Amino acid sequence: MRNFYVILLSLLAGLPLFSQKKLIYANPQTTVKIGKYLHFYEDKDHKVTYSFLKKLPESAFIQSQQSAPNFGVRKSKIWLKLTIDNQTDESLFLLCDKPAMSYVEIYAEDEHGAVFYTKSGLLMPYHTRFFENNQLTFPLGKHPKTLFVGISGN
């Protein structure tokens, strides 16, 4: 029985290795660079769906180590995952510093499980932008919990 506890404790000790870093937003007067809170998954065939992403284990995503990740030019679609705890009562927005992203789609799931979907990007019609300017801005609502952001160049 003693060996069982040692093995169980060893397994439990490894759990934090797979837990994803959560962005806690508490000051509505600031903007936050989210790069180091992002986890990414490469979709080489452009066939991954939202329901597939939701079912993936946390270990399938790689945590970004950069404050401004750059995935370069590739044929794959990159899916970013971000977990948020908005401790304010303000609506949140995702501002993309790189306006040259061809296609960006976002699934934002709120605290009640409702999902908001939007799609925009450089190669999408201009009217798909939340603000009709060069910076891609996406409304996320007041209390998004999990975001999946798909970025592709084709």
Side-chain angles (χ1 to χ4, degrees):
M1 188 71 156
R2 183 174 157 194
N3 290 338
F4 174 75
Y5 289 121
V6 172
I7 292 170
L8 181 61
L9 288 175
S10 297
L11 290 173
L12 291 176
L15 286 178
L17 295 174
F18 296 112
S19 66
Q20 295 186 348
K21 197 172 182 181
K22 181 188 286 189
L23 169 63
I24 298 174
Y25 186 72
N27 183 352
Q29 304 302 317
T30 62
T31 57
V32 177
K33 291 190 179 214
I34 62 171
K36 291 190 178 181
Y37 296 96
L38 295 174
H39 299 81
F40 63 92
Y41 177 83
E42 186 172 10
D43 173 10
K44 294 181 180 180
D45 300 321
H46 291 252
K47 293 184 179 179
V48 169
T49 63
Y50 171 69
S51 58
F52 178 84
L53 289 167
K54 280 189 62 151
K55 293 176 187 174
L56 283 175
E58 290 183 8
S59 60
F61 291 86
I62 300 168
Q63 184 168 350
S64 169
Q65 301 298 316
Q66 303 168 346
S67 58
N70 183 341
F71 297 101
V73 177
R74 59 178 70 206
K75 292 183 180 183
S76 302
K77 183 174 200 173
I78 298 295
W79 283 99
L80 305 173
K81 182 178 181 182
L82 176 66
T83 306
I84 304 171
D85 180 6
N86 181 11
Q87 297 180 348
T88 74
D89 200 33
E90 302 294 323
S91 293
L92 300 181
F93 294 87
L94 178 64
L95 309 174
C96 299
D97 288 340
K98 308 266 189 247
M101 291 187 282
S102 299
Y103 298 101
V104 179
E105 60 184 304
I106 295 181
Y107 293 90
E109 184 175 338
D110 72 11
E111 60 196 353
H112 304 294
V115 178
F116 170 75
Y117 173 80
T118 188
K119 184 174 183 176
S120 191
L122 181 67
L123 298 180
M124 296 285 295
Y126 208 68
H127 72 273
T128 65
R129 298 179 184 201
F130 186 72
F131 295 119
E132 291 188 6
N133 62 25
N134 288 336
Q135 185 177 37
L136 295 175
T137 304
F138 298 93
L140 303 176
K142 284 192 176 184
H143 296 285
K145 291 295 179 192
T146 306
L147 299 182
F148 289 102
V149 181
I151 301 169
S152 60
N154 52 11

